[in-house]
Amino acid sequence: MISVSTAIRTGQTALGIEFGSTRIKLVLLDAADNPVAQGAYTWESRWENGHWTYSMEETVLGMQTAYAQLASEVFTRYGSRLESIGCIGISAMMHGYLAFDAQGRLLVPFRTWRDTTTAEAAAELTKAFGFNIPQRWSVAHLRQAILNGEPHIAQLASINTLAGTVHGWLTGRRVLGIGDASGMFPVDMTSGTYHADMLARWETLPIPAGAARPAFPLAQLLPEPLPAGAEAGTLTPQGARLLDPTGTLQPGIPFCPPEGDAGTGMVATDSVAPRTGNVSAGTSIFAMVVLEHPLRAVYPEIDIVATPDGAPVAMVHCNNCTGDLDAWIRLFGEVLSTMGVNADPSLLYDRLYRQALFAEPDCPGYTPVNYCAGEGVTHFDAGVPLLMRDFSVPGSLADFMRASLYSLLATLRMGLDVLAPENIRLERLCGHGGIFKTRGVAQRFLAAAMRTPVSVLQTAGEGGPYGMALLAAYRRERAAGLTETLPAFLTRAVFASAPVSTLAPQPEEIEGFERFLARYRKALAVERSAVAQFPATAP
């Protein structure tokens, strides 16, 4: 077995870099695909000029800061400078809209997955294609910009996701993993390319009077889709300096195709084979169910995307997850601070999450609606965090925490209920993301909400950057002659002996969640009124 120090010195490692909603995080794997070092940078989206966005300047700063932290940890723990890496992979929030001119200049600020400003375009494209086009998808953003007559369209030469954009900065290649590409424009799962018939239909869509038509056909505007394991370029000298301004990291390092956070979540949970699924929870929450066959109908609540190796996936994506709960926990921290108690944030989360285990199964005193932004599944264009309290029921911290955690899962469950007529077989559901770090809490509630056993791997808290690093490791092994498929590689080389915890749903908790969900559905009428009354606070 190769030691960690030897793997680092000889470049037999894999690095995953993920630009998540709240953190830019890096995970380095050794030759045996175990995490050995990390780096992170905290950021958050901003509401500017009618759109949720992140600046490209902070994207670069965050990447450099997190990389420097990882390189420092490598030197401190293993006594080696990080000069070479076996393979690097870039991941980021799926969907959204980054538009560039022919010189690669950004034409408008990044419009993220969180935007709910493209309803007109999404509806038009869904009808034209006979295929659900969510508001988050890049093609919906592009069509809405055309419908709005935005002047940048006349200069448009390419569009991309955040992962594809950063990959291009580092390698000079305009390519994208097929999973992320499937969130830009529908992908033909048989050919592994964009759907040719839908591309042709796009070119026939009418252009409003006074609006510009892009100078290039859509097929040229989109990045080239690539499957997992494909060659996707190498680190250029300019890219090496951008990632590591110290000049220690050397150019020439291979890259795997960049992917979206949905795809990396599937990889991190060994959920890329048919009849497997995963739930990824962070600022947003989404479920991915790998399909054995196409769906029989078009559902506006369900995205059809792809695994990183091109298999069809039914995706339920909810814009809102932990944002409101995080705000409450910060408030509880302030309360403790006024009492002279400075609680470690990680410990505070852990203690409060565990408190939820002592609540009534339906936490009857509280009904939170966790909408900080619009929500496509329930057809909200904006959101206002809402807490309803039943004054006749004695409240408790335990009930509040369980209700808050239930609220993270409620809209997801409503979206998955849409798939009931399809009779989809799901043999395994795996959870990952920060809410699963406290063992046996969110996992237990997810099992009750989904009415199915839920597994959590020991690496669940690592989430997307770990999955991206595994995709980089897969590319490294493919370049060395590996012929296994991605599912086979993950099962054999990574997860065969990985520690895993599985919890089955308890009947009383299933019933309790159903009672909470009934209240939550009713509370959405109040939420709709709140959005109407407080538009200034409801982007």
Side-chain angles (χ1 to χ4, degrees), residues 483-504:
T483 59
E484 281 181 315
T485 64
L486 178 62
F489 166 75
L490 293 174
T491 298
R492 175 192 60 81
V494 181
F495 295 110
S497 58
V500 60
S501 164
T502 302
L503 293 179

Side-chain angles (χ1 to χ4, degrees), residues 285-302:
I285 185 169
F286 49 85
M288 310 286 287
V289 178
V290 186
L291 301 173
E292 295 180 272
H293 51 74
L295 299 181
R296 292 189 293 267
V298 175
Y299 303 95
E301 299 85 0
I302 307 298

Side-chain angles (χ1 to χ4, degrees), residues 94-173:
M94 281 186 76
H95 321 300
Y97 183 69
L98 282 150
F100 301 92
D101 66 12
Q103 287 71 46
R105 293 176 298 217
L106 188 65
L107 295 172
V108 292
F110 175 32
R111 298 172 183 178
T112 80
W113 57 270
R114 203 172 186 181
D115 263 23
T116 50
T117 58
T118 63
E120 180 185 5
E124 179 196 52
L125 294 174
T126 297
K127 182 178 179 180
F129 295 164
F131 186 98
N132 182 39
I133 303 296
Q135 290 200 52
R136 302 180 309 281
W137 282 25
S138 306
V139 69
H141 282 276
L142 173 57
R143 181 59 181 171
Q144 193 66 56
I146 294 171
L147 294 176
N148 293 345
E150 296 191 32
H152 80 269
I153 294 298
Q155 302 171 265
L156 188 65
S158 68
I159 63 173
N160 218 324
T161 65
L162 183 58
T165 297
V166 176
H167 181 92
W169 291 344
L170 299 177
T171 68
R173 292 280 299 276

Side-chain angles (χ1 to χ4, degrees), residues 502-520:
T502 302
L503 293 179
Q506 301 302 308
E508 67 274 12
E509 293 195 332
I510 292 176
E511 294 172 6
F513 184 84
E514 295 300 327
R515 290 194 294 273
F516 171 85
L517 184 61
R519 300 199 314 268
Y520 189 91

Side-chain angles (χ1 to χ4, degrees), residues 12-23:
Q12 299 182 66
T13 51
L15 175 64
I17 304 175
E18 181 155 284
F19 296 79
S21 302
T22 58
R23 285 197 305 170

Side-chain angles (χ1 to χ4, degrees), residues 186-204:
V187 165
D188 183 339
M189 305 297 177
T190 58
S191 68
T193 58
Y194 298 112
H195 201 291
D197 181 55
M198 296 182 194
L199 284 171
R201 288 185 225 174
W202 166 273
E203 300 301 335
T204 67

